């Protein structure tokens, strides 16, 4: 599993998604509930960026149709989305946030 540095931990504001790209994969990195999560940045229902949505209760909301996805599992919590989005492993090394897109959780 190859981890790639995506940003500094100090760059992440709580409950504010940050869009990054890892090996060509769009990823939304989110600091929430004292942890850092990485979730695919594309909504499984509509081809829009999840990082433009709001984060609440460890879920990210698609701004277009309102589906929310659990940051831990990628599972949608409501319609219109019915398919989960991939989530990725995260490691913190000092102030560096590293993400691996080679293995989905």
């Amino acid at each position: 599993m190859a981890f790639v540095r995506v940003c500094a931990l100090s760059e992440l504001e709580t409950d504010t998604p940050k869009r990054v790209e890892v090996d060509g994969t769009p990823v939304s990195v989110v600091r929430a509930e004292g942890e850092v999560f990485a979730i695919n940045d594309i909504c499984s229902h509509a081809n829009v960026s999840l990082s433009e949505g709001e984060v609440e209760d460890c879920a990210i909301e698609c701004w277009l149709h309102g589906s929310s996805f659990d940051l831990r599992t990628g599972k949608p919590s409501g319609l219109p989305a019915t398919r989960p989005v991939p989530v990725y492993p995260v490691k913190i090394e000092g102030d560096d946030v590293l993400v691996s897109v080679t293995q989905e959780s």
Side-chain angles (χ1 to χ4, degrees):
M1 182 169 10
F3 281 87
V4 176
R5 183 189 185 279
V6 295
C7 66
L9 184 60
S10 58
E11 292 175 36
L12 297 177
E13 295 180 36
T14 300
D15 295 336
T16 302
K18 178 179 182 65
R19 181 184 167 103
V20 298
E21 217 170 274
V22 180
D23 297 331
T25 301
V27 176
S28 184
V29 179
V30 182
R31 187 180 216 170
E33 298 186 3
E35 295 183 58
V36 177
F37 302 94
I39 188 168
N40 191 284
D41 193 47
I42 305 301
C43 177
S44 63
H45 169 257
N47 191 23
V48 297
S49 174
L50 290 176
S51 63
E52 295 177 29
E54 295 184 14
V55 173
E56 187 175 334
D57 297 327
C58 213
I60 191 166
E61 181 182 51
C62 176
W63 62 270
L64 187 60
H65 294 114
S67 290
S68 287
F69 298 88
D70 189 300
L71 292 170
R72 297 167 290 234
T73 65
K75 292 181 180 175
S77 61
L79 296 174
T82 58
R83 293 185 337 261
V85 293
V87 294
Y88 307 107
V90 175
K91 284 196 318 189
I92 307 298
E93 292 182 353
D95 190 45
D96 293 333
V97 177
L98 300 104
V99 174
S100 173
V101 296
T102 57
Q103 180 181 349
E104 300 170 5
S105 300

